[in-house]
Amino acid sequence: MEDTLFNRTFRDSQGEIVLAQKPNLPILVWLAATLLNLIPTTGNLHTGLDALAFGSLFTWAWLELFQGVNYFRRALGFIVLIGALASRLPWS
């Protein structure tokens, strides 16, 4: 296979184009914690679910950034990581 920018950006080591993958544990935990956080909760439960959701999304983004199968997945991890961190900043 030819080593082009397109191939390095979108193909994995087996030559398959990869844009999306099966959800792994961190993204499943993020989804569950986010959905549970939609239930009206207060105090420690809300804070714990929020921390769990942020931590698992941060972990997923970090793993994609450094272990993604192609440049697209690594860029996706970078974008999500920056977005997750930016969501924690006080924007007042």
Side-chain angles (χ1 to χ4, degrees), residues 23-44:
N24 56 12
L25 184 60
I27 206 75
L28 291 173
V29 170
W30 168 78
L31 181 63
T34 300
L35 290 176
L36 286 173
N37 218 3
L38 294 175
I39 299 170
T41 58
T42 59
N44 292 338

Side-chain angles (χ1 to χ4, degrees), residues 4-30:
T4 64
L5 181 59
F6 178 85
N7 288 339
R8 284 183 279 153
T9 303
F10 296 108
R11 294 190 188 274
D12 63 6
S13 60
Q14 284 80 35
E16 300 291 324
I17 293 178
V18 178
L19 298 178
Q21 297 173 308
K22 289 188 324 187
N24 56 12
L25 184 60
I27 206 75
L28 291 173
V29 170
W30 168 78

Side-chain angles (χ1 to χ4, degrees), residues 48-68:
L49 287 171
D50 188 49
L52 182 63
F54 175 77
S56 58
L57 187 64
F58 183 93
T59 301
W60 177 85
W62 186 266
L63 289 172
E64 284 296 329
L65 179 59
F66 289 102
Q67 297 176 1

